[in-house]
Amino acid sequence: MAISDEVRKSRDESGRLSETGDADALKEEAARRSGIHGWLDGVRSTRTGRLTLKIVIGVIGAVLVVGGLIMVPFPGPGWLVVFAGLAVLATEFHWAHRLLEFGKRTLSAWTAWLGRQGWTVKILVVLVAAAAATAIVYFGLKLSFGLDLVAEARKLLDR
């Protein structure tokens, strides 16, 4: 037996050497916890499980973030999907947790600022957002499908 194998062994409650080291104790502790957290702790208790979980969480979170960023310019829940992807990534990655907290603070500051403004600023923000969404949809249809909504509307009005 190699020295590294001997170092990895630890003793269980009965005093016997355990081949898995602390993994058995961690799995037993995780089993006592309930729900998804207990299951995740059980998966994280082994090196392979920890790596596999990081990869799976990374892929799912990245797909959500990229999909949300693609949806941002279009009407719909683009930013919500981006924040959901960051929340998924934050379960395994500290940088994603910090980025998610920064996004929450920024959104909270923006909504607080908008709440303190008068009706004219609020209406102006809504009009700018509506104009941006209209321009994005117009140019998205024109560039993607060659469909010019203004020309189509003129054709309908000339009839």
Side-chain angles (χ1 to χ4, degrees):
M1 193 178 290
I3 296 254
S4 62
D5 290 337
E6 192 64 32
V7 171
R8 283 189 207 138
K9 290 183 179 182
S10 66
R11 299 199 180 269
D12 60 10
E13 291 99 18
S14 65
R16 294 177 305 186
L17 286 176
S18 172
E19 290 288 332
T20 58
D22 292 337
D24 288 334
L26 290 172
K27 281 185 181 179
E28 288 173 12
E29 182 183 332
R32 285 190 289 272
R33 294 179 71 183
S34 63
I36 188 76
H37 295 292
W39 180 80
L40 287 174
D41 287 344
V43 171
R44 287 185 188 111
S45 66
T46 63
R47 184 179 301 165
T48 305
R50 193 169 34 255
L51 179 62
T52 303
L53 187 63
K54 276 195 179 281
I55 291 170
V56 169
I57 294 293
V59 168
I60 292 170
V63 166
L64 284 171
V65 169
V66 169
L69 288 174
I70 290 170
M71 292 189 308
V72 163
F74 301 104
W79 283 112
L80 181 66
V81 175
V82 170
F83 278 108
L86 282 175
V88 168
L89 287 170
T91 62
E92 287 297 315
F93 301 102
H94 185 65
W95 61 266
H97 179 72
R98 287 192 320 254
L99 185 60
L100 181 63
E101 291 303 316
F102 170 76
K104 286 182 195 177
R105 283 192 312 271
T106 304
L107 180 63
S108 177
W110 165 253
T111 55
W113 176 84
L114 189 61
R116 290 190 305 267
Q117 303 307 309
W119 287 104
T120 54
V121 174
K122 291 177 183 177
I123 290 172
L124 184 64
V125 167
V126 168
L127 289 175
V128 168
T134 302
I136 289 168
V137 169
Y138 172 75
F139 286 112
L141 289 173
K142 186 172 183 177
L143 296 174
S144 298
F145 303 111
L147 180 63
D148 188 357
L149 294 177
V150 174
E152 294 296 322
R154 283 185 185 157
K155 286 180 190 176
L156 288 174
L157 292 175
D158 289 341
R159 286 185 184 180

